[in-house]
Amino acid sequence: TVIGTDPATDLAVVKIDGSDDLPVASFGDSDNLQVGETAIAIGNPLGLEFQGTVTVGVISALNRSLDDVDQRFKLIQTDAAINPGNSGGPLVNYYGQVVGITTSKIVSETYEGMGFAIPSQTVKSIVDTLIKNGYVEGRVKIGISGIAVTSDQASNYNIPQGIYVQSIVSGGPCDGTSLEEGDIITEVDGETITSFADVYAILETHKPGDKIKVKYYSSSSGDGEVEITLQEDK
C-alpha cells in the first residue's frame, strides 16, 4: 500500500502487510560523512539480469547542487559506478549502513564517475513526514517550470541570466499574473537568481501563504514585477 510519495525527490513510502520478518538495512548518519570514505552502490543495471550489482568508490564531495528543476536538495557525490537501475537503490558505507539513496548521474563523453545520492538524513526527514501526512508538509512552490539561462547564453542573446519560463502551472501562484511563458525570472524575494538552486534556497525560508515579489524580463515589454502568494507543494 502506498502511504505517500514525494515527486521532488522521487521517494515513496510503501507498507507491506503481514511481513514483519523482512530483512532490513539500517540507516547511517549522512551528516557524519567525510570526503574519501568508502561508498558502495547496489542496484540493477540493465534490469533483473544484473540485479544486485555492487559497485565501489568513495564519497567524492558533499552538499552538491544540480541545477535541475526537480532537484532542490543538497546531494552526496560519489564515483561509485551509477547506472540506469541504480536509482532508488542504497548508497552504503563501509559498515553496510545506508547513507544515501542514489538518484542521478552526469552523463557525458567528457566526464565520468559523477553519481549523486540523496543524503540519508534528508531521506529520513521526508519519510517521517510521508508516514505522518502522506505528503511533505510545509514545502512551497511558485508554480513554474523552466531552464536556467547560462552566462554564455545571456551574453550571446543580450538577455539577463535567470530562469527562462517554459510553462506556468494552471491554478498556481504565477497563474493569472503578468508573468508569461518565455519571460526570464531574474529576482525572487529581493534576491538575484541565476539557477534553480538559488530559487529553492529562497523557497526553503518561506511557508505556504507567504507573499513574495518576483521580478522578470520580457522580450516584448521589458522588466516587470509581480507579487505572488506561495502555495503548499503537496
Side-chain angles (χ1 to χ4, degrees), residues 54-215:
V54 176
T55 54
V56 179
V58 297
I59 301 296
S60 303
L62 301 168
N63 299 315
R64 290 299 202 201
S65 295
L66 295 181
D67 187 23
D68 188 294
V69 66
D70 295 321
Q71 183 58 61
R72 63 171 67 196
F73 300 99
K74 299 297 185 180
L75 300 171
I76 299 166
Q77 181 183 332
T78 179
D79 66 346
I82 305 295
N83 297 288
N86 277 105
S87 293
L91 185 73
V92 305
N93 60 16
Y94 181 82
Y95 303 100
Q97 298 171 322
V98 178
V99 293
I101 301 294
T102 55
T103 183
S104 61
K105 66 181 293 185
I106 293 178
V107 180
S108 169
E109 293 180 356
T110 307
Y111 307 104
E112 62 181 54
M114 298 188 70
F116 299 89
I118 304 169
S120 60
Q121 294 302 98
T122 301
V123 172
K124 287 196 286 187
S125 175
I126 290 171
V127 165
D128 287 344
T129 189
L130 288 177
I131 292 173
K132 177 184 176 183
N133 304 307
Y135 66 94
V136 179
E137 185 179 24
R139 186 183 294 159
V140 297
K141 64 181 179 181
I142 60 174
I144 64 103
S145 64
I147 56 174
V149 177
T150 66
S151 58
D152 287 342
Q153 290 171 330
S155 177
N156 291 338
Y157 296 102
N158 194 29
I159 56 176
Q161 279 191 264
I163 301 298
Y164 177 86
V165 179
Q166 293 177 308
S167 64
I168 297 175
V169 176
S170 177
C174 292
D175 189 25
T177 70
S178 58
L179 183 70
E180 298 179 343
E181 294 179 4
D183 293 345
I184 299 172
I185 297 175
T186 57
E187 190 175 299
V188 175
D189 198 29
E191 299 288 339
T192 300
I193 57 128
T194 59
S195 68
F196 274 104
D198 294 337
V199 177
Y200 291 139
I202 295 167
L203 295 183
E204 289 297 320
T205 66
H206 287 282
K207 62 183 184 298
D210 284 355
K211 294 182 182 296
I212 64 171
K213 292 182 178 180
V214 175
K215 291 186 178 181

Side-chain angles (χ1 to χ4, degrees), residues 37-49:
E37 278 190 63
T38 298
I40 304 167
I42 305 172
N44 305 326
L46 300 178
L48 296 181
E49 181 181 0

